């Protein structure tokens, strides 16, 4: 079967857009082909900095003929109905319709509409201009003389050529020569911008990829990544070092080159006095280079690895030299930031009021930065005030939380007032992703307690489902205070997540609170802390997500989670105990018996059947109901006592003793006795079953 080759070649596409763009091209083209009645065996997308390519193999040569019968009105229908039918079917008169007889409905018109299949070349020629013109780039541009005309083509970067060939695997292919804004599709492409800029004639994908490789272009992005990674590892190893791997940087660099050439550069060892995180970000952000370290060490070396797009005749000496000059310049700036952040601010006399407000030591650099943050009235959010006001709120909340977490009150207060101070450091101003981490380093340098320093970094954590959770009690306290203040504040101004939109990362903050409470086993009454039932419901949603990710069944979570449950740790422990119980033999059988009791009781309640207010022992006539009453009385007390002691496993064990009496009751006792008093009493007995099991969970919500 024939194959389709498509290439859209342009000026350099931003690396961050390439992978998605190639996937979008594949989806748009294959969806349009299928919509037009074609089928294909497989499709794969490719991309380099200068091209998006698509290989579709096993594509049918033409779409199938379509025959459609469209039923119309009766032959004796009014004239307007018949005219409408003819118009819709594309017929000029009733003579072009068929008349079909139905024994029950009489004679009616039928239009037989035949649509002949279309050649694949024709279909591709029709669909491609629209796909290219409406391509979903995040940003696009116009260029050239035609750019001022209405409807001019917009593309991420100037589009230069289009390849579109179609044909069998071992025969000649044809060009599908559609045109868009003066660019006509052909079988001509071009290789590497510097090494092989000459035209290349291609027919099908295998030849296309092979010819590009001869022209110094490696089409497969994953292969480029593999070459970069392994060559970088090898060159580092050859120099007695190891590569500090970075998947995000690797993805980006592979999108910057068509012919990766891995080289090693260096900088003066004096720059290693800068924290490793700053060195790594400086070199990564400004030069897209990797850093190295001694094998098994956390300390960086002064060697970096760069990836060039050129096979230089001098072995890359000039490229390394040029990159080294830029790296040194950027590291010189970073060293300047690092040293300035450890010195005094020039306007200390303007910071005394802010220093007094937060009990800051104006002689310490980090304290000065916090005072500066407050004195400048830096806005946190237009409706939530300044960063200084936010720190004050976190400080107050942290003081309350310290009683619950067991954190040292003085250290917690100190951590709270310094937590955001590094936002006014030059290092964080240059690299915002270092907030917290730089604060910790500066705190250590000015002699802060280890718990305070840890809290400054870790109060941002966890920042996702795989990020670590703070361990130090002070850090836990500040992390909770920070996230709760964010959530309470944005809930208070009605800025809540909607659908997929969550601009203030409130879901992440709530999940962070959930993870801290559960993984550090902290009992925190959230409703009392937040004073907002709607926010509590939001925490419940995040808790469900977390527990399901941990393997908990959704029905067991629902059975335990009540609308006012604000101790999330206890909810999790109940779910854990219920999971263990419900998978045991006693649990399965008790669940079945309890469901039968609650369903029967609910049906009678719905009908308005009289149910006694309490169980009268005098009306218990049969041994089975007497035994059940005794068992419930005992199990209910034991389960309630166990729940009060937060021993949920023991509560389950207490309930498990009801299994036998419940089974025997349903085997030997007719609940709906003819005697109304006995019936009401037995229904009251069923209500006791529901109440007893309800001390642990709502068994009616458990499936199975």
């Amino acid at each position: 079967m024939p194959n389709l080759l498509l290439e859209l070649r342009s000026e350099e596409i931003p690396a961050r857009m390439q992978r998605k763009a190639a996937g979008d091209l594949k989806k748009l083209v294959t969806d349009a082909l299928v919509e037009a009645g074609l089928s294909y065996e497989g499709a794969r997308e490719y991309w380099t900095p200068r091209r998006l390519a698509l290989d579709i193999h096993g594509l049918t040569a033409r779409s199938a003929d379509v025959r459609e019968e469209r039923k119309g009105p009766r032959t004796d229908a009014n004239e307007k109905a018949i005219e409408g039918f003819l118009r819709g079917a594309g017929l000029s008169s009733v003579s072009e319709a068929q008349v079909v007889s139905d024994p029950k409905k009489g004679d009616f018109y039928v239009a037989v509409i035949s649509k002949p299949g279309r050649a694949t070349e024709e279909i591709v020629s029709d669909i491609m201009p629209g796909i290219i013109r409406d391509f979903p780039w995040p940003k696009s541009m116009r260029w050239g003389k035609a750019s001022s005309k209405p409807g001019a083509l917009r593309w991420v970067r100037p589009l230069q050529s289009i390849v579109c060939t179609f044909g069998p695997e071992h025969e000649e292919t044809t060009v599908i020569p559609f045109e868009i804004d003066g660019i006509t599709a052909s079988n001509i492409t071009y290789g590497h911008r510097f090494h092989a800029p000459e035209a290349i004639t291609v027919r099908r994908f295998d030849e296309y990829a092979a010819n590009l490789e001869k022209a110094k272009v490696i089409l497969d992005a994953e292969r480029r990544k593999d070459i970069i990674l392994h060559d970088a590892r090898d060159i580092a190893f050859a120099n007695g070092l190891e590569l500090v791997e970075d998947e995000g940087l690797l993805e980006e660099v592979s999108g910057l080159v068509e012919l990766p050439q891995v080289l090693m550069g260096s900088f003066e060892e004096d720059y290693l006095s800068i924290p490793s995180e700053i060195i790594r970000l400086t070199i990564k952000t400004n030069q897209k280079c990797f850093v190295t370290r001694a094998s098994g060490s956390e300390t960086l070396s002064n060697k970096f690895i760069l990836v060039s797009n050129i096979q230089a005749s001098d072995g890359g000496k000039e490229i390394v030299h040029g990159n080294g000059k830029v790296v040194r310049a950027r590291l010189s700036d970073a060293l300047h930031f690092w040293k300035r952040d450890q010195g005094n601010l020039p306007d200390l006399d303007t910071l005394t009021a802010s220093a007094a407000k937060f009990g800051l030591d104006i002689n310490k650099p980090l304290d000065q930065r916090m005072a500066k943050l407050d004195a400048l009235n830096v806005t946190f959010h237009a409706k939530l005030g300044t960063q200084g006001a936010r720190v004050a709120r976190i400080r107050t909340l942290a003081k309350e939380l310290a009683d619950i977490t067991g954190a040292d009150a003085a250290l917690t207060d100190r951590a709270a007032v310094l937590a955001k101070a590094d936002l006014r450091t030059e290092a964080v101003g240059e690299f915002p992703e270092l907030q917290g981490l730089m604060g910790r380093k500066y705190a250590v340098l000015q002699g802060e307690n280890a718990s305070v320093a840890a809290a400054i970094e870790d109060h941002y954590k966890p920042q996702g489902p795989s990020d670590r959770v703070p361990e130090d009690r002070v850090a836990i306290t500040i992390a909770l205070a920070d996230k709760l203040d964010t959530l309470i504040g944005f809930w208070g101004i009605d800025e809540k997540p909607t659908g997929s939109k969550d601009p203030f990362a409130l879901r992440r903050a709530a999940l962070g609170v959930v993870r801290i409470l559960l993984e550090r086993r902290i009992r925190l009454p959230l409703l009392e802390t937040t004073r907002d039932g709607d926010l509590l419901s939001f925490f419940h949603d995040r808790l469900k997500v977390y527990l399901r990710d941990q393997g908990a069944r959704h029905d067991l979570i629902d059975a335990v989670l009540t609308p006012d449950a604000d101790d999330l740790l206890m909810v999790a422990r109940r779910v854990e105990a219920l999971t263990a119980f419900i998978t045991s033999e006693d649990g399965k059988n008790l669940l079945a018996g309890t469901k039968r009791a609650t369903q029967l009781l609910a049906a009678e309640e719905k009908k308005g059947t009289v149910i006694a207010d309490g169980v009268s022992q005098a009306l218990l006539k049969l041994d089975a109901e007497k035994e059940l009453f005794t068992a419930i009385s005992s199990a209910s007390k034991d389960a309630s006592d166990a729940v009060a002691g937060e021993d949920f496993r023991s509560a389950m064990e207490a309930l498990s003793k009801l299994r036998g009496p419940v089974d025997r009751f349903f085997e030997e006792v007719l609940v709906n006795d003819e005697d109304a008093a006995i019936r009401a009493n037995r229904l009251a007995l069923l209500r006791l079953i529901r109440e007893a099991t309800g001390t642990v969970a709502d068994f009616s919500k458990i499936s199975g």
Side-chain angles (χ1 to χ4, degrees):
M1 293 180 73
N3 302 327
L4 177 69
L5 168 64
L6 179 71
E7 181 200 66
L8 305 176
R9 189 179 64 89
S10 69
E11 293 291 335
E12 277 71 7
I13 304 166
R16 67 184 183 280
M17 298 182 187
Q18 293 168 18
R19 182 180 292 272
K20 182 179 184 303
D24 287 341
L25 180 64
K26 174 183 172 182
K27 186 175 190 310
L28 289 168
V29 173
T30 54
D31 283 357
L33 293 175
V34 171
E35 179 70 22
L38 300 174
S39 63
Y40 63 96
E41 293 177 359
R44 184 177 171 188
E45 71 274 30
Y46 298 86
W47 63 93
T48 80
R50 299 178 64 215
R51 66 199 82 220
L52 302 178
L54 185 59
D55 171 32
I56 302 178
H57 54 273
L59 183 62
T60 47
R62 65 182 295 111
S63 61
D65 297 340
V66 176
R67 184 179 185 278
E68 177 189 353
E69 290 189 1
R70 188 174 298 177
K71 187 177 179 181
R74 285 166 52 100
T75 55
D76 58 358
N78 64 61
E79 189 175 339
K80 285 190 175 181
I82 294 174
E83 286 177 356
F85 160 66
L86 294 175
R87 231 181 0 259
L91 304 181
S92 57
S93 70
V94 292
S95 64
E96 295 178 359
Q98 296 181 6
V99 177
V100 177
S101 297
D102 186 305
K104 295 181 179 179
K105 299 180 180 179
D107 295 344
F108 57 89
Y109 291 116
V110 171
V112 178
I113 304 171
S114 296
K115 294 181 181 178
R118 301 169 66 203
T120 297
E121 293 93 329
E122 182 184 344
I123 293 172
V124 172
S125 182
D126 280 353
I127 67 173
M128 284 309 305
I131 289 174
I132 294 172
R133 190 173 293 280
D134 300 328
F135 201 80
W137 293 109
K139 292 183 178 180
S140 56
M141 61 180 288
R142 293 180 296 181
W143 64 93
K145 293 180 180 178
S147 64
S148 60
K149 297 179 181 178
L153 174 65
R154 297 184 67 92
W155 194 248
V156 63
R157 294 292 185 270
L159 188 61
Q160 296 177 327
S161 68
I162 301 171
V163 169
C164 190
T165 66
F166 179 68
E169 189 172 351
H170 300 296
E171 299 176 22
E172 276 304 314
T173 59
T174 60
V175 173
I176 304 178
F178 62 86
E179 185 268 342
I180 180 167
D181 271 33
I183 303 172
T184 301
S186 69
N187 60 353
I188 303 296
T189 189
Y190 297 84
H192 192 282
R193 178 188 291 278
F194 306 111
H195 293 304
E198 301 82 12
I200 302 169
T201 302
V202 297
R203 291 181 294 177
R204 55 185 59 86
F205 178 77
D206 289 344
E207 179 187 68
Y208 164 75
N211 285 346
L212 278 181
E213 185 136 350
K214 290 176 186 175
K216 309 297 185 181
V217 174
I218 296 173
L219 182 64
D220 188 341
E222 295 304 323
R223 188 166 157 233
R224 294 198 304 276
K225 285 175 67 174
D226 191 62
I227 290 170
I228 294 168
L229 180 60
H230 284 88
D231 285 0
R233 286 172 176 169
D234 290 346
I235 196 171
F237 181 76
N239 285 271
L241 303 168
E242 67 179 19
L243 175 71
V244 178
E245 297 186 15
D246 185 326
E247 175 60 30
L249 180 58
L250 180 61
E251 174 80 8
E252 183 177 12
V253 170
S254 72
L256 297 175
V257 296
E258 291 192 316
L259 182 68
Q261 303 294 302
V262 178
L263 304 167
M264 176 173 277
S266 64
F267 55 84
E268 287 74 16
E269 291 189 355
D270 290 350
Y271 289 122
L272 294 177
S273 63
I274 307 169
S276 295
E277 295 85 358
I278 296 181
I279 295 175
R280 183 176 179 178
L281 271 175
T282 298
I283 293 176
K284 171 183 175 178
T285 304
N286 292 290
Q287 287 302 101
K288 312 303 178 190
C289 294
F290 297 86
V291 293
T292 65
R293 61 193 170 205
S295 183
S297 172
E298 290 300 314
T299 304
L300 296 185
S301 79
N302 68 325
K303 307 286 186 182
F304 64 91
I305 290 176
L306 62 103
V307 182
S308 170
N309 192 36
I310 299 174
Q311 281 182 332
S313 58
D314 65 354
K317 290 181 181 178
E318 280 302 313
I319 295 172
V320 169
H321 176 70
N323 275 267
K325 284 177 65 177
V326 178
V327 165
R328 291 184 190 93
R330 298 290 77 80
L331 288 177
S332 178
D333 291 342
L335 183 60
H336 178 69
F337 299 150
W338 170 240
K339 288 181 176 178
R340 291 223 348 162
D341 286 339
Q342 297 173 53
N344 291 332
L345 292 173
D347 52 354
L348 294 183
D349 56 326
T350 66
L351 306 179
T352 53
S354 292
K357 184 194 304 185
F358 290 99
L360 296 165
D361 184 346
I362 205 69
N363 294 310
K364 294 184 175 181
L366 200 57
D367 293 57
Q368 294 173 21
R369 272 68 186 176
M370 177 56 219
K372 187 73 171 179
L373 184 71
D374 179 66
L376 288 175
N377 290 318
V378 177
T379 300
F380 168 60
H381 184 278
K383 295 181 180 179
L384 294 173
T386 65
Q387 287 283 8
R390 183 172 184 235
V391 169
R393 293 195 304 269
I394 291 173
R395 187 182 187 187
T396 300
L397 188 52
K399 183 178 180 181
E400 298 172 10
L401 293 174
D403 293 335
I404 296 171
T405 62
D408 180 274
L411 294 178
T412 297
D413 187 67
R414 180 66 173 160
V417 299
L418 291 180
K420 305 296 181 184
D422 68 355
L423 296 179
R424 289 304 305 167
T425 62
E426 295 193 39
V428 173
E430 181 73 11
F431 300 114
E433 54 266 62
L434 292 181
Q435 62 184 12
L437 187 148
M438 294 311 303
R440 179 176 192 161
K441 291 184 180 296
Y442 294 135
V444 170
L445 285 172
Q446 69 178 37
E448 297 296 332
N449 181 279
S451 291
V452 172
I456 294 172
E457 178 180 5
D458 289 355
H459 82 280
Y460 290 105
K461 297 183 178 299
Q463 295 197 44
S466 59
D467 194 18
R468 66 179 177 85
V469 173
E471 296 182 14
D472 184 278
R473 290 182 185 274
V474 175
I476 288 170
T477 307
I478 305 301
L480 286 172
D482 177 62
K483 292 167 179 58
L484 288 170
D485 174 73
T486 298
L487 290 160
I488 293 168
F490 282 106
W491 242 251
I493 61 173
D494 200 27
E495 289 278 5
K496 306 169 187 176
T498 56
S500 61
K501 295 182 179 179
D502 186 9
F504 304 110
L506 302 182
R507 291 188 182 96
R508 186 175 70 186
L511 180 60
V513 171
V514 169
R515 286 191 60 201
I516 292 172
L517 296 181
L518 270 54
E519 295 178 33
R520 296 297 173 246
R521 308 190 73 77
I522 295 171
R523 305 275 309 275
L524 175 65
L526 282 172
L527 192 56
E528 180 182 322
T529 304
T530 64
R531 298 177 178 84
D532 191 316
D534 184 52
L535 180 52
L536 179 61
S537 177
F538 185 67
F539 277 115
H540 286 177
D541 291 340
R542 296 301 97 199
L543 175 66
K544 290 177 182 178
V545 171
Y546 176 81
L547 292 177
R548 284 199 295 267
D549 287 345
Q550 299 297 308
R553 280 170 38 182
H554 69 88
D555 59 324
L556 300 189
I557 300 171
D558 290 341
V560 165
L561 192 58
T562 59
D564 59 348
D566 72 342
D567 187 339
L568 303 190
L569 178 60
M570 290 301 100
V571 172
R573 288 180 57 188
R574 282 175 181 263
V575 171
E576 181 184 355
L578 184 58
T579 300
F581 176 64
I582 218 67
T583 54
S584 68
E585 198 62 31
D586 280 348
K588 292 176 184 176
N589 289 324
L590 179 60
L591 174 62
T594 301
K595 275 185 168 292
R596 184 175 176 185
T598 54
Q599 288 168 358
L600 195 159
L601 181 62
E604 295 302 319
E605 287 174 332
K606 189 174 182 180
K607 289 191 291 187
T609 305
V610 175
I611 303 173
D613 292 335
V615 175
S616 169
Q617 295 189 61
L619 292 175
L620 298 174
K621 302 299 182 183
L622 302 176
D623 289 343
E625 57 184 332
K626 293 176 182 177
E627 179 189 355
L628 178 59
F629 177 72
T630 301
I632 290 175
S633 300
S634 174
S636 183
K637 181 181 183 305
D638 292 345
S640 295
D641 290 345
V643 168
E646 299 173 3
D647 185 354
F648 302 112
R649 289 188 180 275
S650 293
M652 300 293 178
E653 290 174 8
L655 292 178
S656 70
K657 296 174 184 177
L658 292 176
R659 172 193 167 181
V662 168
D663 289 347
R664 185 180 174 193
F665 176 84
F666 283 115
E667 288 171 3
E668 301 180 13
V669 177
L670 177 65
V671 175
N672 286 322
D673 194 88
E674 293 181 358
D675 187 317
I678 292 177
R679 179 170 65 248
N681 199 55
R682 288 174 178 170
L683 287 171
L685 192 56
L686 297 186
R687 188 165 57 200
L688 286 183
I689 297 175
R690 184 171 67 187
E691 291 172 354
T693 55
T695 59
V696 172
D698 184 348
F699 275 48
S700 68
K701 293 183 178 179
I702 303 175
S703 60

